[in-house]
Amino acid sequence: MSDQPTGSTIAETIRSQLERAIVTGAMRPGERLDEQEIADRFGVSRTPVREAIRALAASGLVDVRQRQGATVGAIDIPRLIEMFQVMAELEGLCGELAARRITHEEKANLVALHERLIAAGDRVSPLEFYEINREFHEAIYDAARSDFLAEQTRALRTRVGAYRRQVTYLPGRVASTIREHAAVIDAICRHDGEAARRSLRDHVNLLGDNLSDFIASLAISRPQPAERRARAATEETPATEEALGERS
């Protein structure tokens, strides 16, 4: 049996790295995905690139229009607010179930992640802080013990990832996150499902000044240089011709 990657494996590798670039904001909403440029970057033919783009389009991260090609999906503000509201309800339900089902080991892990966030504080980049924050939320999804709920929550989180990450850059948001997480942990560890649901829902939702500040941050954000985007898309798993095997 050959150890060479199949075309579908190559397409999945490209999809995963492009998704990472989109979710981290390295590729901005509305930015065009040039099939040939991506193929050259990854050292493959255009076939697996097309497969990767189709998969991203199916998940809503990419828009494909006839004669215009593929672009990173852009979400208008009213729809984005609706998505955050749904995300808040999904996360709240995860918190409620976690409060009922969490184990002692999972409680300890949640507390440890919170302590990592406190230690990181303003001393790390917003990107690093966001990654620890993501682990914290993932721990709650796992503790909820609902595979379908976790799957739907992660899918929506990925869809709004680039925008949600933008919230981390708002002034004072790091301190607010730490304070809100403390309330979430307290409720979950007391097995108070309603309080956990309410705390997580309010933590994720965009209300009042947070909403207006978030909208303002979208208006002033700027794309990163092309070379930085390319590096961000490939830094985790280089996809050279040598790594991916023969071209499809």
Side-chain angles (χ1 to χ4, degrees), residues 19-26 113-114 116-117 120-121 124-139 141 157-158 161-162 164-166 168-169 174 177 181 232 235-236:
E19 178 184 278
R20 174 179 169 82
I22 293 169
V23 172
T24 60
L113 286 168
H114 183 58
R116 281 178 58 196
L117 276 174
V124 300
S125 71
L127 180 60
E128 292 173 281
F129 186 89
Y130 182 88
E131 287 303 315
I132 303 173
N133 179 64
R134 183 189 59 76
E135 291 182 49
F136 179 88
H137 285 264
E138 285 284 342
Y141 305 161
R157 185 184 182 94
T158 298
R164 185 166 178 169
R165 189 179 295 269
Q166 194 73 26
T168 311
Y169 290 79
V174 167
T177 295
H181 278 193
E235 63 183 1
E236 184 174 32

Side-chain angles (χ1 to χ4, degrees), residues 165-238:
R165 189 179 295 269
Q166 194 73 26
V167 175
T168 311
Y169 290 79
L170 296 176
R173 187 57 207 164
V174 167
S176 296
T177 295
I178 291 172
R179 184 172 61 252
E180 291 162 9
H181 278 193
V184 170
I185 291 175
D186 177 68
I188 289 177
C189 289
R190 287 188 293 105
H191 303 285
D192 187 337
E194 180 53 40
R197 182 174 192 147
R198 183 173 58 252
S199 296
L200 262 170
R201 183 179 60 219
D202 292 346
H203 169 57
V204 175
N205 216 346
L206 290 171
L207 301 170
D209 290 341
N210 284 338
L211 174 58
S212 59
D213 291 345
F214 173 67
I215 293 173
S217 74
L218 294 180
I220 63 174
S221 61
R222 292 289 183 270
Q224 297 174 326
E227 62 271 15
R228 188 173 177 184
R229 292 197 301 270
R231 185 168 63 250
T234 57
E235 63 183 1
E236 184 174 32
T237 309

Side-chain angles (χ1 to χ4, degrees), residues 79-99:
R79 184 171 180 80
L80 185 60
I81 292 171
E82 291 175 355
M83 293 171 79
F84 267 92
Q85 289 170 339
V86 173
M87 184 77 201
E89 295 299 331
L90 291 174
E91 293 253 5
L93 182 54
C94 287
E96 180 180 354
L97 294 179

Side-chain angles (χ1 to χ4, degrees), residues 100-158:
R100 288 159 43 186
R101 301 170 178 175
I102 196 167
T103 66
H104 291 297
E105 292 77 12
E106 288 169 332
K107 283 182 185 179
N109 181 51
L110 204 58
V111 170
L113 286 168
H114 183 58
E115 290 173 349
R116 281 178 58 196
L117 276 174
I118 294 173
D122 291 316
R123 291 186 290 277
V124 300
S125 71
L127 180 60
E128 292 173 281
F129 186 89
Y130 182 88
E131 287 303 315
I132 303 173
N133 179 64
R134 183 189 59 76
E135 291 182 49
F136 179 88
H137 285 264
E138 285 284 342
I140 294 174
Y141 305 161
D142 291 339
R145 284 178 175 69
S146 174
D147 290 342
F148 180 76
L149 176 60
E151 176 186 309
Q152 297 303 308
T153 306
R154 288 187 181 107
L156 185 52
R157 185 184 182 94
T158 298

